[in-house]
Amino acid sequence: MLTNSVGIPMKRIGVLISGRGTNLQALIDAQKRGEISGEIAVVISNKSKAYGLERARSANIKTEIVTKKTHPIREEHDKRVVELLKQYNVDFVVLAGYMRLITEHLINPFQNRIINIHPSLLPSFPGIDAQKQALEYGVKITGCTTHIVTLDMDAGPIILQEYVPVFDTDTRDTLAERILEKEHEILVETVQLLCEDRIRVTGRITKITGE
Ligand code: GAR
């Protein structure tokens, strides 16, 4: 069992992805730099061609693929994911660009132990393409949020948020790029808080202990 510098067992992290995996890469890099006292035990993708799988393989992290094709029934899909997470002895789960709604079959066994990164200041602009939604709404400030995952999409207790200005000249892509830099920061920070067991959840309020 891996331990950190003071002999405490490293937390085991499961990361779920669907795409290019820059947030996953931020976690891999942070782990390499020793900024998180946990190890990514497995990366699971619901897309067999997700580039994030390459990133994981390059870092010698185990990968698994569970797709709509292999598991067409939603319940069976999530049960298979849980089976894998348990097989890899995962302590908590990070949804890092996992573009799939998850069911109670995944949430219940990992109650308050699944987090998501979302590219807006929730509760504004939940769902798909939050950056485009922000631009079209005309907000002057947007950002990103990490939160505990519950059955209601993008509505679980908020952990960390960071704001990002919206400029008149922004396109969806320039805005998304600026938000992404902040996503990587707050995701790493949130994962480290989880590794240190410093997040307490009461109802919809989270508190960070030991500050
Ligand atoms: C990120 O912007 C993430 O916040 C977003 O998908 C992107 C994944 O990028 N997630 C959602 O919109 C979830 N509702 P990545 O694959 O490069 O990490």
Side-chain angles (χ1 to χ4, degrees):
M1 184 192 293
L2 282 176
T3 55
N4 69 10
S5 56
V6 286
I8 295 168
M10 298 275 253
K11 290 279 199 265
R12 294 176 64 78
I13 307 161
V15 183
L16 270 50
I17 61 163
S18 301
R20 64 189 166 170
T22 66
N23 277 290
L24 165 67
Q25 189 67 53
L27 293 176
I28 293 172
D29 295 344
Q31 184 185 321
K32 278 193 190 136
R33 290 194 300 265
E35 285 172 15
I36 50 176
S37 42
E39 55 165 331
I40 302 170
V42 64
V43 171
I44 304 176
S45 175
N46 68 325
K47 300 280 179 198
S48 56
K49 293 196 170 71
Y51 183 66
L53 288 168
E54 297 299 322
R55 297 178 189 271
R57 289 181 195 123
S58 304
N60 285 319
I61 295 167
K62 295 271 198 285
T63 59
E64 300 283 352
I65 298 166
V66 184
T67 67
K68 225 176 176 171
K69 219 171 179 178
T70 62
H71 295 76
I73 300 167
R74 195 170 280 279
E75 175 180 342
E76 297 306 323
H77 187 287
D78 280 3
K79 281 184 173 168
R80 175 62 186 147
V81 171
V82 169
E83 201 173 88
L84 287 167
L85 293 169
K86 289 195 168 159
Q87 185 180 313
Y88 285 92
N89 268 319
V90 158
D91 293 297
F92 62 85
V93 181
V94 178
L95 308 188
Y98 190 59
M99 306 311 257
R100 207 189 135 84
L101 287 178
I102 67 174
T103 67
E104 73 265 27
H105 301 285
L106 175 49
I107 292 175
N108 290 347
F110 286 92
Q111 199 75 44
N112 288 343
R113 290 188 295 142
I114 307 177
I115 62 152
N116 181 41
I117 174 85
H118 184 79
S120 75
L121 289 177
L122 289 172
S124 292
F125 314 128
I128 297 291
D129 212 341
Q131 304 94 333
K132 186 162 169 258
Q133 292 184 54
L135 214 50
E136 287 178 354
Y137 197 94
V139 291
K140 303 298 181 194
I141 292 172
T142 183
C144 49
T145 303
T146 55
H147 66 93
I148 304 279
V149 173
T150 58
L151 274 177
D152 299 323
M153 185 189 63
D154 297 330
I158 288 168
I159 305 170
L160 295 179
Q161 293 188 299
E162 187 58 77
Y163 73 90
V164 172
V166 181
F167 301 133
D168 293 347
T169 49
D170 266 330
T171 62
R172 187 257 171 220
D173 288 348
T174 57
L175 180 59
E177 193 56 42
R178 196 171 321 111
I179 296 172
L180 202 56
E181 283 177 31
K182 294 293 178 191
E183 288 186 39
H184 297 166
E185 288 176 20
I186 67 167
L187 185 62
V188 168
E189 215 179 309
T190 304
V191 165
Q192 178 56 1
L193 289 171
L194 281 162
C195 287
E196 293 175 340
D197 216 3
R198 289 176 54 200
I199 301 174
R200 298 285 168 269
V201 187
T202 315
R204 56 162 308 106
I205 306 300
T206 64
K207 286 217 168 92
I208 295 166
T209 62
E211 280 189 307

